[in-house]
Amino acid sequence: MTPDKQPSFEDFYQVIREIVPGRVATYGQVAALAGFPRHARYVGRALRELAGNDTDLPWQRVVNSAGEISRRGIDGSDELQRRLLEGEGVEFDAADRIDMRRFQWRPERDA
DNA sequence: AGTTTGACGCTCC
DNA sequence: CGGAGCGCCAAAC
């Protein structure tokens, strides 16, 4: 049996690049779509790697399963993420949460 | 080689 | 609906 390929950051980046503007995906969803279920934390690690770097990766479209921006306690990237999302039409409620029923990305349905 | 550490997620209560 | 607890998995100690 050929052992399954190990997850690499690039596998996750590839999925994230497909998320359409105005929609968000969860860490677990990205991991699963990349072919690595239960690697949600690893997706977070992959994004941590890009913190500060300017890339064409729409990293702001990845939030946790509760529809919240995961805190990382550094600089003001949390607020930056929120501004970027609001800029593309994603709405936050009074508890700073996104209604996933409305904004979660569905590959099959959203293209 | 054992332990700790997370941009996480699900179940219980 | 919010918090606690536990599972998860690779990287860093």
Side-chain angles (χ1 to χ4, degrees):
Chain A
M1 297 273 289
T2 57
D4 291 355
K5 183 168 72 64
Q6 286 186 193
S8 71
F9 292 162
E10 193 52 43
D11 294 319
F12 303 133
Y13 296 156
Q14 193 170 315
V15 171
I16 295 172
R17 274 189 270 267
E18 294 174 34
I19 307 173
V20 302
R23 301 235 119 164
V24 296
T26 69
Y27 294 90
Q29 182 182 10
V30 170
L33 288 173
F36 300 96
R38 297 180 293 292
H39 280 69
R41 305 192 90 129
Y42 203 52
V43 172
R45 202 190 316 286
L47 293 182
R48 187 85 176 77
E49 225 24 59
L50 313 167
N53 306 338
D54 60 340
T55 65
D56 56 354
L57 196 77
W59 59 272
Q60 74 274 20
R61 298 181 193 143
V62 184
V63 299
N64 63 36
S65 66
E68 321 175 282
I69 289 174
S70 291
R71 303 292 164 136
R72 63 222 91 169
I74 56 175
D75 53 32
S77 70
D78 291 1
E79 292 191 359
L80 169 61
Q81 178 170 11
R82 175 164 178 159
R83 289 205 310 280
L84 289 172
L85 288 177
E86 291 181 323
E88 42 188 68
V90 177
E91 300 167 26
F92 287 76
D93 63 22
D96 301 314
R97 264 185 280 101
I98 297 168
D99 182 344
M100 297 307 275
R101 294 176 307 176
R102 295 173 52 199
F103 299 103
Q104 179 165 33
W105 174 54
R106 263 88 175 171
E108 298 307 305
R109 201 190 58 136
D110 302 318

